[in-house]
């Protein structure tokens, strides 16, 4: 592997234009919700085993060359450029059919030989950098074992995680069937417009902070205080959590609610041991990023947002004293999780966010709770709810995950939960960005003893579909699940594989990954 900060040798690089001549050049204004994403680069990386039969990497390249022009007819903003309006300072999508980027690269190694425990030895050796103004860079990377990777590198202005999954899903559908059901994505961002005058309350005004040097944790703390770990939790442990979090009054919680409750208790256990906090200061927060597409009260609006190519993401926070969390059984904390997520008026929340950004743009902001200031925070996002499909004629990917740009010095925990690529329509594996401090939790009263089994993790090599030599080690450190929660930053990714939750080593700097089996686990 060679070249330019990446381990991939570039074989070819070209621009691919949309094929419909009837698409008129125009400027697509982004919505105020899109601006909360700060126009940072990100990607969805899909890693495939060697194709079965006579197919090879040349066939993969030929497929993209044949179908990408037509695909861009549906995703025409991807063939444009991101341009900042000089008068307003707000970014826009300029479509003059300049072309999406198509790169063919050669990794020069086998998939198993990459160090999947470190970003520098794996994902960062696969993905190639692309210009900030390029809306889409599709990168096809071959490995000597016959496996390959497809990198869908884009920008957060294009849309949120739902759109990232949509890019891959609709590509797969178009190639296999010749069309995209429902007519493809909707690009009209005017559905989220501000009121006149813009109106918002103090709660929304306090949700965001300027994302700048003065508001971030110092670099030495952010870079030097963290370690990476890997853990897994078996399916029976998640089932046990649901059982323990159930009650006659509230019923059986979802997997996410039960796991969030357990983690909240673990987090509270960490904060409670701090010698730097007074009793009044011992508080902790859980944050959930919410995809609003199915949260609005209007059925018509929900239906119109089904294939909306833009950002519809907000967040909610549960904030509680350590004593209030640890003083409840798991059932009570699961009720706190449920209440925090379901009690919000999402119609009003989104409208106030749009109005707030109308007043404050074009400055960049980020969620206040994620900066690492004040009470420790553990944030979660749920990619498993996005319907996914990675099979464009060469089988489902063995591994599929989002990889975002650097989060700089944000210091809070992050979890991303998603489903296995081989479960069509249920989402796919996603990575997690963040850092883990050396602080660990101790077992809580929620029944953590049954989560303490040490086991051998499935090798990430097996996930790529390229077999290692017989003497290639596949054992990874595992320990108590309760011990995988640290501060100030923790990030996990859930993907569904082999009837277990596997926490694999980092696929990007300071990442931790978790892989889960059956997609029904998270219903």
């Amino acid at each position: 592997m060679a070249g330019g900060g990446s381990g991939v040798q570039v074989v070819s690089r070209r621009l691919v234009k949309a094929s419909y001549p009837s698409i008129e050049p125009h400027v697509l204004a982004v919505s105020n919700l899109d601006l909360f994403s700060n126009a940072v680069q990100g990607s969805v990386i899909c890693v495939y085993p060697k194709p079965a039969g006579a197919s090879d990497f040349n066939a993969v390249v030929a497929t993209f060359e044949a179908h990408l022009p037509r695909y861009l007819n549906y995703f025409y903003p991807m063939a444009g450029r991101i341009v900042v309006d000089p008068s307003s300072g707000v970014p826009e999508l300029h479509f003059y059919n300049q072309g999406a980027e198509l790169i063919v690269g050669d990794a020069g190694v086998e998939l198993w030989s990459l160090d999947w425990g470190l970003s520098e030895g794996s994902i960062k050796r696969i993905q190639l950098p692309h210009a900030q103004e390029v809306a889409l860079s599709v990168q096809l990377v071959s490995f000597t074992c016959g496996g390959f990777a497809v990198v869908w590198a884009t920008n957060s202005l294009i849309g949120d995680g739902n759109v990232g999954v949509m890019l891959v899903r609709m590509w797969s559908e178009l190639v296999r069937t010749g069309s995209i059901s429902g007519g493809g994505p909707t690009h009209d961002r005017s559905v989220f417009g501000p009121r006149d005058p813009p109106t918002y309350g103090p709660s929304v005004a306090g949700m965001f902070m300027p994302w700048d040097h003065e508001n971030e944790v110092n670099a030495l703390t952010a870079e030097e205080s963290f370690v990476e770990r890997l853990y897994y939790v078996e399916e029976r442990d998640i089932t046990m959590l649901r059982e323990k979090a159930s009650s006659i009054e509230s019923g059986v919680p979802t997997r996410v609610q039960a796991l969030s409750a357990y983690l909240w208790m673990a987090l509270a256990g960490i904060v409670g041991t701090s010698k730097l906090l007074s009793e009044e200061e011992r508080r902790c927060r859980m944050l959930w990023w919410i995809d609003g597409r199915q949260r609005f009260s209007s059925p018509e609006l929900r239906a119109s947002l089904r294939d909306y190519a833009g950002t519809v993401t907000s967040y909610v926070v549960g904030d509680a004293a350590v004593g209030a969390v640890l003083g409840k059984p798991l059932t009570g904390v699961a009720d706190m999780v449920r209440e925090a997520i379901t009690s919000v008026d999402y119609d009003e929340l989104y409208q106030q966010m749009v109005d707030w950004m109308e007043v404050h743009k074009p400055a960049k902001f980020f969620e206040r709770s994620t900066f690492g200031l004040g009470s420790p925070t553990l944030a979660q996002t749920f990619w498993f709810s996005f319907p996914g499909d990675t099979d464009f004629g060469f089988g489902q990917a063995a591994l599929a995950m989002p990889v975002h740009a650097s989060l700089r010095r944000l210091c809070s925990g992050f979890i991303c939960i998603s489903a296995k690529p081989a479960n069509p329509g249920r989402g796919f594996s996603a990575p997690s960005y963040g850092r883990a401090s050396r602080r660990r939790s101790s077992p809580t009263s929620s029944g953590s003893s049954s989560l303490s089994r040490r086991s051998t993790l499935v090798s990430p090599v097996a996930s790529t579909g390229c077999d290692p030599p017989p003497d290639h080690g596949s054992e990874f450190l595992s320990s108590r699940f309760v011990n995988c929660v640290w501060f100030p930053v923790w990030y996990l990714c859930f993907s569904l594989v082999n009837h277990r939750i596997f926490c694999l080593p980092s696929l990007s700097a300071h990442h931790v990954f978790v892989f889960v089996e059956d997609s029904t686990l998270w219903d």
Side-chain angles (χ1 to χ4, degrees):
M1 302 177 85
S6 169
V8 176
Q9 180 68 47
V10 176
V11 176
S12 66
R13 184 191 299 262
R14 54 175 289 203
L15 294 177
V16 178
K17 299 184 177 184
S19 61
Y20 285 172
S22 59
I23 301 178
E24 294 292 333
H26 63 280
V27 174
L28 179 63
V30 300
S31 79
N32 285 350
L33 290 178
D34 297 317
L35 297 178
F36 282 103
S37 68
N38 294 305
V40 297
Q41 290 185 335
S43 61
V44 175
I45 297 181
C46 304
V47 181
Y48 295 81
K50 181 180 180 180
S55 298
D56 58 12
F57 184 66
N58 290 331
V60 173
V61 175
T63 298
F64 274 88
E65 291 176 340
H67 295 279
L68 191 56
R70 187 180 178 197
Y71 174 79
L72 292 173
N73 296 333
Y74 294 93
F75 288 92
Y76 58 84
M78 300 294 190
R81 294 294 179 267
I82 299 169
V83 178
V84 175
D85 184 289
S87 60
S88 68
V90 175
E92 302 170 328
L93 297 173
H94 287 212
F95 174 77
Y96 301 105
N97 207 10
Q98 299 95 321
E101 192 174 55
L102 179 61
I103 301 175
V104 178
D106 180 10
V109 299
E110 296 188 357
L111 276 169
W112 70 263
S113 68
L114 299 183
D115 184 356
W116 293 97
L118 298 172
S119 61
E120 296 294 338
S122 56
I123 294 302
K124 286 188 176 179
R125 298 183 69 185
I126 295 176
Q127 183 171 350
L128 290 159
H130 66 285
Q132 184 68 30
E133 68 272 11
V134 172
L136 176 64
S137 175
V138 180
Q139 303 169 11
L140 313 177
V141 180
S142 65
F143 292 83
T144 58
C145 61
F148 66 94
V150 179
V151 180
W152 298 85
T154 181
N155 189 287
S156 59
L157 275 181
I158 299 300
D160 52 21
N162 196 313
V163 179
V165 176
M166 183 193 301
L167 283 172
V168 182
R169 183 184 76 245
M170 290 189 175
W171 162 258
S172 299
E173 182 182 8
L174 177 65
V175 174
R176 292 202 320 270
T177 69
S179 64
I180 296 178
S181 57
T186 301
H187 298 288
D188 181 11
R189 312 286 178 98
S190 64
V191 64
F192 296 111
R195 292 175 288 202
D196 186 15
T199 305
Y200 54 87
S203 60
V204 169
M207 288 175 62
F208 301 94
M209 287 175 57
W211 195 15
D212 56 30
H213 173 76
E214 295 302 322
N215 288 317
E216 291 182 312
V217 173
N218 74 80
L220 293 181
T221 298
E223 292 178 1
E224 302 300 330
S225 300
F226 309 101
V227 294
E228 298 176 14
R229 301 292 186 193
L230 36 58
Y231 297 83
Y232 76 81
V233 179
E234 294 183 356
E235 179 182 351
R236 62 177 177 268
D237 293 326
I238 297 296
T239 301
M240 179 272 296
L241 283 179
R242 292 191 72 197
E243 293 174 351
K244 288 185 173 294
S246 301
S247 67
I248 297 176
E249 296 79 11
S250 302
V252 180
T254 66
R255 273 73 175 177
V256 170
Q257 291 169 355
L259 182 59
S260 292
Y262 182 82
L263 295 178
W264 203 345
M265 297 185 76
L267 172 57
I270 301 171
V271 178
T273 63
S274 174
K275 299 178 181 180
L276 300 179
L277 299 175
S278 67
E279 190 63 33
E280 294 74 20
E281 293 172 328
R282 292 180 178 176
R283 304 184 64 85
C284 55
R285 297 176 292 208
M286 297 290 284
L287 181 152
W288 297 270
W289 277 290
I290 304 296
D291 179 12
R293 287 169 175 81
Q294 296 303 314
R295 296 283 180 174
F296 292 103
S297 60
S298 167
E300 293 77 18
L301 179 56
R302 293 198 303 268
S304 69
L305 293 175
R306 178 178 175 272
D307 293 322
Y308 175 76
T311 297
V312 197
T313 300
S314 62
Y315 80 93
V316 297
V317 172
D319 187 344
V322 165
V325 177
L326 296 182
K328 295 178 181 290
L330 193 64
T331 298
V333 182
D335 289 339
M336 293 170 60
V337 173
R338 184 185 301 108
E339 174 68 15
I341 296 175
T342 61
S343 64
V344 176
D345 181 346
Y346 286 98
D347 290 7
E348 186 61 24
L349 172 62
Y350 276 94
Q351 185 60 65
Q352 289 196 32
M353 287 175 59
V354 169
D355 290 350
W356 185 89
M357 182 56 75
E358 182 69 15
V359 174
H360 292 84
K361 63 185 180 184
K364 292 186 176 182
F365 299 89
F366 215 82
E367 291 86 350
R368 181 180 295 272
S369 300
T370 63
F371 278 83
L373 307 176
S375 300
T377 305
L378 176 60
Q380 302 171 73
T381 184
F382 313 120
W383 279 56
F384 75 92
S385 64
F386 309 148
D389 181 5
T390 62
D391 181 6
F392 62 99
F394 298 87
Q396 296 286 350
L399 189 64
M401 63 196 68
V403 177
H404 301 90
S406 171
L407 295 181
R408 301 197 307 196
R409 304 200 304 272
L410 297 179
C411 285
S412 54
F414 298 85
I415 300 176
C416 180
I417 304 174
S418 67
K420 179 183 177 183
N423 284 346
R426 300 305 304 272
F428 55 89
S429 60
S432 322
Y433 286 75
R435 300 178 177 89
S437 81
R438 301 178 191 278
R439 292 290 302 277
R440 305 186 198 179
S441 70
S442 58
T444 70
S445 60
S446 62
S448 61
S449 60
S450 62
L451 293 174
S452 62
R453 289 180 293 275
R454 297 177 59 88
S455 301
T456 300
L457 298 181
V458 169
S459 168
V461 173
S463 297
T464 64
C466 290
D467 294 332
D471 60 347
H472 181 75
S474 63
E475 291 192 356
F476 294 100
L477 174 67
S478 63
S479 183
R480 306 183 65 127
F481 181 69
V482 69
N483 285 346
C484 73
V485 185
W486 304 293
F487 275 97
V489 181
W490 175 55
Y491 210 84
L492 293 182
C493 158
F494 288 85
S495 160
L496 302 177
V497 175
N498 294 339
H499 295 282
R500 281 176 254 180
I501 302 177
F502 297 106
C503 180
L504 298 183
S506 163
L507 292 183
S508 189
H510 306 293
H511 299 183
V512 182
F513 292 83
V514 177
F515 290 85
V516 190
E517 208 246 351
D518 182 6
S519 67
T520 60
L521 194 63
W522 299 102
D523 287 347

